[in-house]
Amino acid sequence: MIKLDRDFVVGKMETFCSELLGQEDFQALNGMIERFRTDQEAQDQYKQFVNLYHAYQAKVRDQREQVTEEETAEVDQAEMALYTNKVIREYLFAEREFSTIHDLISRYYSKTVELNRIPTRREVKIEGTGCGSNQRAAGAEYPALDSTYFGK
């Protein structure tokens, strides 16, 4: 049976992760998530919004009932309230940054297997995420509180 050397892969991953842990920005992002984890009021506000958002999205998908302007305004207002809370705003930013790195690693690995060589940046499609993107319009979901980065 042919098998890749997993010890080699684990060694490289340990080196990579060690270098990530040594970055000041990594520690700052991790601190943002930790502050959110210890702020019950912020978690409660976030959970309320996520429940409201999911109910709104379900109604939009269902299409048997039309979403009212009031419902849309309620979701918009609750969403804006998230971003006025510094702890939640930083949590969402950190989650997005960690998710971006996770996706980048996954794309590099997938493209390497697909192409049987190291892919170029263009082939991996390394793109920035512009400011002011509308998550609802893009269909993005808000991270669950039991997501990979939150659930330690």
Side-chain angles (χ1 to χ4, degrees), residues 3-43:
K3 244 179 167 176
L4 291 174
D5 183 355
R6 291 187 180 139
D7 289 337
F8 169 79
V9 173
V10 168
K12 292 294 184 181
M13 289 305 300
E14 286 172 346
T15 300
F16 170 74
C17 289
S18 176
E19 289 183 26
L20 272 180
L21 286 168
Q23 290 186 12
E24 283 182 39
D25 287 348
F26 181 92
Q27 294 304 322
L29 291 167
N30 201 37
M32 291 174 185
I33 291 174
E34 189 59 32
R35 278 188 291 286
F36 180 78
R37 286 180 44 136
T38 59
D39 187 329
Q40 191 60 50
E41 190 175 311
Q43 288 181 44

mmCIF file of all heavy atoms in Angstrom, residues 3-43:
data_model
loop_
_atom_site.group_PDB
_atom_site.id
_atom_site.type_symbol
_atom_site.label_atom_id
_atom_site.label_comp_id
_atom_site.label_asym_id
_atom_site.label_seq_id
_atom_site.Cartn_x
_atom_site.Cartn_y
_atom_site.Cartn_z
ATOM 1 N N LYS A 3 1.461 5.098 0.891
ATOM 2 C CA LYS A 3 0.995 6.057 1.895
ATOM 3 C C LYS A 3 1.935 7.241 1.943
ATOM 4 O O LYS A 3 3.149 7.068 1.913
ATOM 5 C CB LYS A 3 1.015 5.380 3.270
ATOM 6 C CG LYS A 3 -0.289 5.209 3.919
ATOM 7 C CD LYS A 3 -0.078 4.513 5.251
ATOM 8 C CE LYS A 3 -1.292 4.590 6.087
ATOM 9 N NZ LYS A 3 -1.147 3.864 7.328
ATOM 10 N N LEU A 4 1.369 8.428 2.050
ATOM 11 C CA LEU A 4 2.195 9.613 2.238
ATOM 12 C C LEU A 4 2.760 9.604 3.657
ATOM 13 O O LEU A 4 2.142 9.068 4.581
ATOM 14 C CB LEU A 4 1.377 10.881 2.017
ATOM 15 C CG LEU A 4 0.930 11.137 0.578
ATOM 16 C CD1 LEU A 4 0.003 12.344 0.525
ATOM 17 C CD2 LEU A 4 2.109 11.338 -0.334
ATOM 18 N N ASP A 5 3.913 10.208 3.814
ATOM 19 C CA ASP A 5 4.569 10.272 5.120
ATOM 20 C C ASP A 5 3.845 11.291 5.994
ATOM 21 O O ASP A 5 4.057 12.492 5.891
ATOM 22 C CB ASP A 5 6.035 10.658 4.936
ATOM 23 C CG ASP A 5 6.806 10.679 6.234
ATOM 24 O OD1 ASP A 5 6.208 10.495 7.311
ATOM 25 O OD2 ASP A 5 8.040 10.887 6.169
ATOM 26 N N ARG A 6 2.966 10.794 6.842
ATOM 27 C CA ARG A 6 2.165 11.685 7.699
ATOM 28 C C ARG A 6 3.015 12.394 8.736
ATOM 29 O O ARG A 6 2.706 13.512 9.135
ATOM 30 C CB ARG A 6 1.037 10.903 8.352
ATOM 31 C CG ARG A 6 0.008 10.480 7.325
ATOM 32 C CD ARG A 6 -1.207 9.858 7.929
ATOM 33 N NE ARG A 6 -2.117 9.502 6.852
ATOM 34 C CZ ARG A 6 -2.795 8.396 6.821
ATOM 35 N NH1 ARG A 6 -2.705 7.526 7.808
ATOM 36 N NH2 ARG A 6 -3.604 8.148 5.822
ATOM 37 N N ASP A 7 4.075 11.752 9.196
ATOM 38 C CA ASP A 7 4.956 12.411 10.161
ATOM 39 C C ASP A 7 5.591 13.658 9.544
ATOM 40 O O ASP A 7 5.733 14.683 10.204
ATOM 41 C CB ASP A 7 6.050 11.455 10.650
ATOM 42 C CG ASP A 7 5.504 10.364 11.553
ATOM 43 O OD1 ASP A 7 4.426 10.571 12.152
ATOM 44 O OD2 ASP A 7 6.156 9.305 11.665
ATOM 45 N N PHE A 8 5.951 13.564 8.272
ATOM 46 C CA PHE A 8 6.504 14.708 7.559
ATOM 47 C C PHE A 8 5.466 15.838 7.501
ATOM 48 O O PHE A 8 5.770 17.000 7.795
ATOM 49 C CB PHE A 8 6.912 14.289 6.134
ATOM 50 C CG PHE A 8 7.257 15.445 5.240
ATOM 51 C CD1 PHE A 8 8.499 16.074 5.332
ATOM 52 C CD2 PHE A 8 6.339 15.913 4.310
ATOM 53 C CE1 PHE A 8 8.811 17.142 4.512
ATOM 54 C CE2 PHE A 8 6.647 16.981 3.487
ATOM 55 C CZ PHE A 8 7.878 17.597 3.585
ATOM 56 N N VAL A 9 4.227 15.479 7.133
ATOM 57 C CA VAL A 9 3.148 16.473 7.027
ATOM 58 C C VAL A 9 2.894 17.111 8.386
ATOM 59 O O VAL A 9 2.799 18.338 8.506
ATOM 60 C CB VAL A 9 1.860 15.836 6.462
ATOM 61 C CG1 VAL A 9 0.694 16.819 6.517
ATOM 62 C CG2 VAL A 9 2.080 15.354 5.035
ATOM 63 N N VAL A 10 2.820 16.296 9.421
ATOM 64 C CA VAL A 10 2.567 16.814 10.765
ATOM 65 C C VAL A 10 3.705 17.734 11.192
ATOM 66 O O VAL A 10 3.471 18.808 11.764
ATOM 67 C CB VAL A 10 2.361 15.662 11.782
ATOM 68 C CG1 VAL A 10 2.388 16.174 13.211
ATOM 69 C CG2 VAL A 10 1.053 14.942 11.497
ATOM 70 N N GLY A 11 4.926 17.358 10.899
ATOM 71 C CA GLY A 11 6.073 18.205 11.233
ATOM 72 C C GLY A 11 5.997 19.560 10.557
ATOM 73 O O GLY A 11 6.242 20.600 11.180
ATOM 74 N N LYS A 12 5.640 19.565 9.276
ATOM 75 C CA LYS A 12 5.501 20.834 8.542
ATOM 76 C C LYS A 12 4.345 21.656 9.098
ATOM 77 O O LYS A 12 4.444 22.881 9.217
ATOM 78 C CB LYS A 12 5.290 20.573 7.040
ATOM 79 C CG LYS A 12 6.495 20.000 6.348
ATOM 80 C CD LYS A 12 7.631 20.992 6.315
ATOM 81 C CE LYS A 12 8.804 20.450 5.535
ATOM 82 N NZ LYS A 12 9.917 21.379 5.503
ATOM 83 N N MET A 13 3.242 20.991 9.439
ATOM 84 C CA MET A 13 2.096 21.709 10.006
ATOM 85 C C MET A 13 2.443 22.297 11.371
ATOM 86 O O MET A 13 2.034 23.413 11.690
ATOM 87 C CB MET A 13 0.877 20.792 10.122
ATOM 88 C CG MET A 13 0.250 20.437 8.774
ATOM 89 S SD MET A 13 -0.202 21.862 7.750
ATOM 90 C CE MET A 13 -1.373 22.693 8.782
ATOM 91 N N GLU A 14 3.199 21.561 12.161
ATOM 92 C CA GLU A 14 3.612 22.085 13.466
ATOM 93 C C GLU A 14 4.485 23.319 13.294
ATOM 94 O O GLU A 14 4.329 24.304 14.020
ATOM 95 C CB GLU A 14 4.335 21.003 14.265
ATOM 96 C CG GLU A 14 3.397 19.938 14.806
ATOM 97 C CD GLU A 14 4.121 18.760 15.445
ATOM 98 O OE1 GLU A 14 5.361 18.606 15.254
ATOM 99 O OE2 GLU A 14 3.428 17.975 16.122
ATOM 100 N N THR A 15 5.392 23.281 12.322
ATOM 101 C CA THR A 15 6.242 24.435 12.043
ATOM 102 C C THR A 15 5.394 25.622 11.585
ATOM 103 O O THR A 15 5.552 26.742 12.068
ATOM 104 C CB THR A 15 7.297 24.092 10.971
ATOM 105 O OG1 THR A 15 8.094 23.018 11.452
ATOM 106 C CG2 THR A 15 8.172 25.280 10.639
ATOM 107 N N PHE A 16 4.501 25.362 10.658
ATOM 108 C CA PHE A 16 3.615 26.406 10.135
ATOM 109 C C PHE A 16 2.781 27.015 11.260
ATOM 110 O O PHE A 16 2.712 28.241 11.408
ATOM 111 C CB PHE A 16 2.715 25.806 9.049
ATOM 112 C CG PHE A 16 1.608 26.707 8.603
ATOM 113 C CD1 PHE A 16 1.873 27.809 7.801
ATOM 114 C CD2 PHE A 16 0.299 26.452 8.967
ATOM 115 C CE1 PHE A 16 0.854 28.652 7.396
ATOM 116 C CE2 PHE A 16 -0.728 27.282 8.562
ATOM 117 C CZ PHE A 16 -0.449 28.382 7.769
ATOM 118 N N CYS A 17 2.158 26.168 12.058
ATOM 119 C CA CYS A 17 1.299 26.659 13.145
ATOM 120 C C CYS A 17 2.114 27.405 14.196
ATOM 121 O O CYS A 17 1.652 28.409 14.748
ATOM 122 C CB CYS A 17 0.522 25.505 13.767
ATOM 123 S SG CYS A 17 -0.762 24.867 12.660
ATOM 124 N N SER A 18 3.313 26.942 14.446
ATOM 125 C CA SER A 18 4.190 27.619 15.399
ATOM 126 C C SER A 18 4.511 29.032 14.914
ATOM 127 O O SER A 18 4.498 29.985 15.694
ATOM 128 C CB SER A 18 5.469 26.814 15.592
ATOM 129 O OG SER A 18 6.354 27.480 16.436
ATOM 130 N N GLU A 19 4.767 29.152 13.626
ATOM 131 C CA GLU A 19 5.045 30.478 13.066
ATOM 132 C C GLU A 19 3.810 31.373 13.124
ATOM 133 O O GLU A 19 3.915 32.567 13.388
ATOM 134 C CB GLU A 19 5.583 30.348 11.642
ATOM 135 C CG GLU A 19 7.002 29.779 11.630
ATOM 136 C CD GLU A 19 7.612 29.702 10.246
ATOM 137 O OE1 GLU A 19 7.201 30.490 9.363
ATOM 138 O OE2 GLU A 19 8.510 28.867 10.060
ATOM 139 N N LEU A 20 2.635 30.804 12.880
ATOM 140 C CA LEU A 20 1.397 31.585 13.013
ATOM 141 C C LEU A 20 1.232 32.079 14.441
ATOM 142 O O LEU A 20 0.922 33.256 14.664
ATOM 143 C CB LEU A 20 0.182 30.732 12.651
ATOM 144 C CG LEU A 20 -0.250 30.676 11.206
ATOM 145 C CD1 LEU A 20 -1.475 29.768 11.052
ATOM 146 C CD2 LEU A 20 -0.540 32.044 10.638
ATOM 147 N N LEU A 21 1.419 31.175 15.398
ATOM 148 C CA LEU A 21 1.266 31.539 16.805
ATOM 149 C C LEU A 21 2.234 32.644 17.218
ATOM 150 O O LEU A 21 1.932 33.426 18.119
ATOM 151 C CB LEU A 21 1.482 30.319 17.704
ATOM 152 C CG LEU A 21 0.349 29.299 17.719
ATOM 153 C CD1 LEU A 21 0.805 28.016 18.393
ATOM 154 C CD2 LEU A 21 -0.872 29.879 18.413
ATOM 155 N N GLY A 22 3.372 32.731 16.567
ATOM 156 C CA GLY A 22 4.371 33.739 16.885
ATOM 157 C C GLY A 22 4.066 35.115 16.324
ATOM 158 O O GLY A 22 4.721 36.093 16.686
ATOM 159 N N GLN A 23 3.078 35.209 15.465
ATOM 160 C CA GLN A 23 2.741 36.505 14.878
ATOM 161 C C GLN A 23 1.901 37.330 15.848
ATOM 162 O O GLN A 23 0.936 36.841 16.424
ATOM 163 C CB GLN A 23 1.959 36.321 13.576
ATOM 164 C CG GLN A 23 2.773 35.771 12.449
ATOM 165 C CD GLN A 23 1.982 35.756 11.150
ATOM 166 O OE1 GLN A 23 0.909 36.339 11.028
ATOM 167 N NE2 GLN A 23 2.538 35.083 10.154
ATOM 168 N N GLU A 24 2.262 38.585 16.007
ATOM 169 C CA GLU A 24 1.512 39.483 16.894
ATOM 170 C C GLU A 24 0.054 39.594 16.463
ATOM 171 O O GLU A 24 -0.846 39.614 17.307
ATOM 172 C CB GLU A 24 2.140 40.880 16.912
ATOM 173 C CG GLU A 24 3.390 40.972 17.746
ATOM 174 C CD GLU A 24 3.944 42.397 17.777
ATOM 175 O OE1 GLU A 24 3.129 43.354 17.842
ATOM 176 O OE2 GLU A 24 5.167 42.536 17.734
ATOM 177 N N ASP A 25 -0.184 39.680 15.153
ATOM 178 C CA ASP A 25 -1.551 39.817 14.666
ATOM 179 C C ASP A 25 -2.387 38.580 14.986
ATOM 180 O O ASP A 25 -3.579 38.686 15.282
ATOM 181 C CB ASP A 25 -1.578 40.091 13.167
ATOM 182 C CG ASP A 25 -1.127 41.507 12.833
ATOM 183 O OD1 ASP A 25 -1.016 42.341 13.757
ATOM 184 O OD2 ASP A 25 -0.887 41.778 11.642
ATOM 185 N N PHE A 26 -1.767 37.406 14.927
ATOM 186 C CA PHE A 26 -2.492 36.187 15.285
ATOM 187 C C PHE A 26 -2.942 36.257 16.739
ATOM 188 O O PHE A 26 -4.095 35.943 17.061
ATOM 189 C CB PHE A 26 -1.610 34.951 15.057
ATOM 190 C CG PHE A 26 -2.305 33.659 15.384
ATOM 191 C CD1 PHE A 26 -2.992 32.962 14.403
ATOM 192 C CD2 PHE A 26 -2.270 33.138 16.663
ATOM 193 C CE1 PHE A 26 -3.641 31.773 14.702
ATOM 194 C CE2 PHE A 26 -2.910 31.950 16.973
ATOM 195 C CZ PHE A 26 -3.600 31.264 15.992
ATOM 196 N N GLN A 27 -2.034 36.678 17.599
ATOM 197 C CA GLN A 27 -2.371 36.782 19.021
ATOM 198 C C GLN A 27 -3.451 37.839 19.258
ATOM 199 O O GLN A 27 -4.341 37.651 20.091
ATOM 200 C CB GLN A 27 -1.122 37.087 19.847
ATOM 201 C CG GLN A 27 -0.108 35.958 19.840
ATOM 202 C CD GLN A 27 -0.678 34.634 20.320
ATOM 203 O OE1 GLN A 27 -1.479 34.577 21.240
ATOM 204 N NE2 GLN A 27 -0.260 33.550 19.683
ATOM 205 N N ALA A 28 -3.392 38.931 18.504
ATOM 206 C CA ALA A 28 -4.408 39.978 18.643
ATOM 207 C C ALA A 28 -5.775 39.454 18.208
ATOM 208 O O ALA A 28 -6.787 39.687 18.887
ATOM 209 C CB ALA A 28 -4.020 41.213 17.826
ATOM 210 N N LEU A 29 -5.828 38.731 17.091
ATOM 211 C CA LEU A 29 -7.084 38.157 16.620
ATOM 212 C C LEU A 29 -7.624 37.142 17.622
ATOM 213 O O LEU A 29 -8.823 37.110 17.917
ATOM 214 C CB LEU A 29 -6.892 37.499 15.255
ATOM 215 C CG LEU A 29 -6.620 38.448 14.086
ATOM 216 C CD1 LEU A 29 -6.140 37.672 12.874
ATOM 217 C CD2 LEU A 29 -7.849 39.276 13.768
ATOM 218 N N ASN A 30 -6.741 36.319 18.148
ATOM 219 C CA ASN A 30 -7.146 35.332 19.142
ATOM 220 C C ASN A 30 -7.698 36.027 20.391
ATOM 221 O O ASN A 30 -8.664 35.565 20.998
ATOM 222 C CB ASN A 30 -5.972 34.420 19.481
ATOM 223 C CG ASN A 30 -6.420 33.111 20.069
ATOM 224 O OD1 ASN A 30 -7.435 32.559 19.662
ATOM 225 N ND2 ASN A 30 -5.671 32.608 21.024
ATOM 226 N N GLY A 31 -7.091 37.145 20.765
ATOM 227 C CA GLY A 31 -7.569 37.922 21.907
ATOM 228 C C GLY A 31 -8.974 38.463 21.677
ATOM 229 O O GLY A 31 -9.787 38.526 22.610
ATOM 230 N N MET A 32 -9.269 38.853 20.436
ATOM 231 C CA MET A 32 -10.613 39.344 20.114
ATOM 232 C C MET A 32 -11.654 38.245 20.324
ATOM 233 O O MET A 32 -12.743 38.502 20.861
ATOM 234 C CB MET A 32 -10.664 39.825 18.658
ATOM 235 C CG MET A 32 -9.867 41.066 18.384
ATOM 236 S SD MET A 32 -9.872 41.403 16.600
ATOM 237 C CE MET A 32 -8.764 42.805 16.546
ATOM 238 N N ILE A 33 -11.324 37.050 19.913
ATOM 239 C CA ILE A 33 -12.247 35.925 20.100
ATOM 240 C C ILE A 33 -12.377 35.600 21.576
ATOM 241 O O ILE A 33 -13.477 35.354 22.082
ATOM 242 C CB ILE A 33 -11.794 34.705 19.275
ATOM 243 C CG1 ILE A 33 -11.984 35.017 17.787
ATOM 244 C CG2 ILE A 33 -12.557 33.448 19.687
ATOM 245 C CD1 ILE A 33 -11.452 33.971 16.844
ATOM 246 N N GLU A 34 -11.276 35.641 22.299
ATOM 247 C CA GLU A 34 -11.305 35.343 23.737
ATOM 248 C C GLU A 34 -12.152 36.366 24.498
ATOM 249 O O GLU A 34 -12.906 36.002 25.401
ATOM 250 C CB GLU A 34 -9.889 35.291 24.297
ATOM 251 C CG GLU A 34 -9.802 34.792 25.713
ATOM 252 C CD GLU A 34 -10.362 33.384 25.900
ATOM 253 O OE1 GLU A 34 -10.274 32.557 24.973
ATOM 254 O OE2 GLU A 34 -10.910 33.121 26.990
ATOM 255 N N ARG A 35 -12.055 37.650 24.122
ATOM 256 C CA ARG A 35 -12.874 38.675 24.778
ATOM 257 C C ARG A 35 -14.358 38.392 24.561
ATOM 258 O O ARG A 35 -15.174 38.536 25.463
ATOM 259 C CB ARG A 35 -12.511 40.075 24.284
ATOM 260 C CG ARG A 35 -11.281 40.649 24.980
ATOM 261 C CD ARG A 35 -11.034 42.095 24.628
ATOM 262 N NE ARG A 35 -10.612 42.325 23.257
ATOM 263 C CZ ARG A 35 -9.411 42.041 22.778
ATOM 264 N NH1 ARG A 35 -8.482 41.515 23.555
ATOM 265 N NH2 ARG A 35 -9.109 42.295 21.519
ATOM 266 N N PHE A 36 -14.700 37.976 23.362
ATOM 267 C CA PHE A 36 -16.091 37.639 23.071
ATOM 268 C C PHE A 36 -16.525 36.416 23.892
ATOM 269 O O PHE A 36 -17.631 36.394 24.431
ATOM 270 C CB PHE A 36 -16.262 37.371 21.578
ATOM 271 C CG PHE A 36 -17.669 37.010 21.190
ATOM 272 C CD1 PHE A 36 -18.642 37.978 21.066
ATOM 273 C CD2 PHE A 36 -18.012 35.689 20.948
ATOM 274 C CE1 PHE A 36 -19.944 37.648 20.709
ATOM 275 C CE2 PHE A 36 -19.303 35.344 20.592
ATOM 276 C CZ PHE A 36 -20.276 36.328 20.469
ATOM 277 N N ARG A 37 -15.665 35.432 23.977
ATOM 278 C CA ARG A 37 -15.985 34.202 24.733
ATOM 279 C C ARG A 37 -16.268 34.485 26.197
ATOM 280 O O ARG A 37 -17.012 33.746 26.835
ATOM 281 C CB ARG A 37 -14.822 33.221 24.660
ATOM 282 C CG ARG A 37 -14.659 32.538 23.345
ATOM 283 C CD ARG A 37 -13.473 31.612 23.416
ATOM 284 N NE ARG A 37 -13.537 30.896 24.682
ATOM 285 C CZ ARG A 37 -13.331 29.622 24.851
ATOM 286 N NH1 ARG A 37 -13.006 28.888 23.840
ATOM 287 N NH2 ARG A 37 -13.408 29.058 26.033
ATOM 288 N N THR A 38 -15.684 35.528 26.731
ATOM 289 C CA THR A 38 -15.850 35.821 28.158
ATOM 290 C C THR A 38 -16.883 36.923 28.421
ATOM 291 O O THR A 38 -17.085 37.294 29.568
ATOM 292 C CB THR A 38 -14.500 36.230 28.785
ATOM 293 O OG1 THR A 38 -14.004 37.388 28.114
ATOM 294 C CG2 THR A 38 -13.487 35.104 28.693
ATOM 295 N N ASP A 39 -17.524 37.422 27.382
ATOM 296 C CA ASP A 39 -18.519 38.491 27.523
ATOM 297 C C ASP A 39 -19.909 37.916 27.255
ATOM 298 O O ASP A 39 -20.366 37.849 26.107
ATOM 299 C CB ASP A 39 -18.199 39.620 26.543
ATOM 300 C CG ASP A 39 -19.060 40.853 26.727
ATOM 301 O OD1 ASP A 39 -20.236 40.711 27.139
ATOM 302 O OD2 ASP A 39 -18.570 41.957 26.428
ATOM 303 N N GLN A 40 -20.588 37.504 28.311
ATOM 304 C CA GLN A 40 -21.888 36.856 28.173
ATOM 305 C C GLN A 40 -22.925 37.769 27.534
ATOM 306 O O GLN A 40 -23.749 37.332 26.735
ATOM 307 C CB GLN A 40 -22.394 36.357 29.531
ATOM 308 C CG GLN A 40 -23.605 35.452 29.434
ATOM 309 C CD GLN A 40 -23.333 34.193 28.621
ATOM 310 O OE1 GLN A 40 -22.366 33.485 28.842
ATOM 311 N NE2 GLN A 40 -24.196 33.926 27.642
ATOM 312 N N GLU A 41 -22.876 39.057 27.845
ATOM 313 C CA GLU A 41 -23.833 40.006 27.269
ATOM 314 C C GLU A 41 -23.663 40.081 25.744
ATOM 315 O O GLU A 41 -24.654 40.083 25.002
ATOM 316 C CB GLU A 41 -23.629 41.385 27.900
ATOM 317 C CG GLU A 41 -24.711 42.380 27.555
ATOM 318 C CD GLU A 41 -24.521 43.696 28.302
ATOM 319 O OE1 GLU A 41 -24.329 43.666 29.531
ATOM 320 O OE2 GLU A 41 -24.581 44.734 27.636
ATOM 321 N N ALA A 42 -22.424 40.121 25.284
ATOM 322 C CA ALA A 42 -22.162 40.154 23.841
ATOM 323 C C ALA A 42 -22.626 38.850 23.186
ATOM 324 O O ALA A 42 -23.221 38.869 22.104
ATOM 325 C CB ALA A 42 -20.679 40.387 23.572
ATOM 326 N N GLN A 43 -22.376 37.729 23.848
ATOM 327 C CA GLN A 43 -22.818 36.444 23.309
ATOM 328 C C GLN A 43 -24.342 36.388 23.204
ATOM 329 O O GLN A 43 -24.880 35.907 22.205
ATOM 330 C CB GLN A 43 -22.322 35.302 24.185
ATOM 331 C CG GLN A 43 -20.839 35.051 24.073
ATOM 332 C CD GLN A 43 -20.416 33.893 24.938
ATOM 333 O OE1 GLN A 43 -21.056 32.856 24.979
ATOM 334 N NE2 GLN A 43 -19.312 34.081 25.657
#
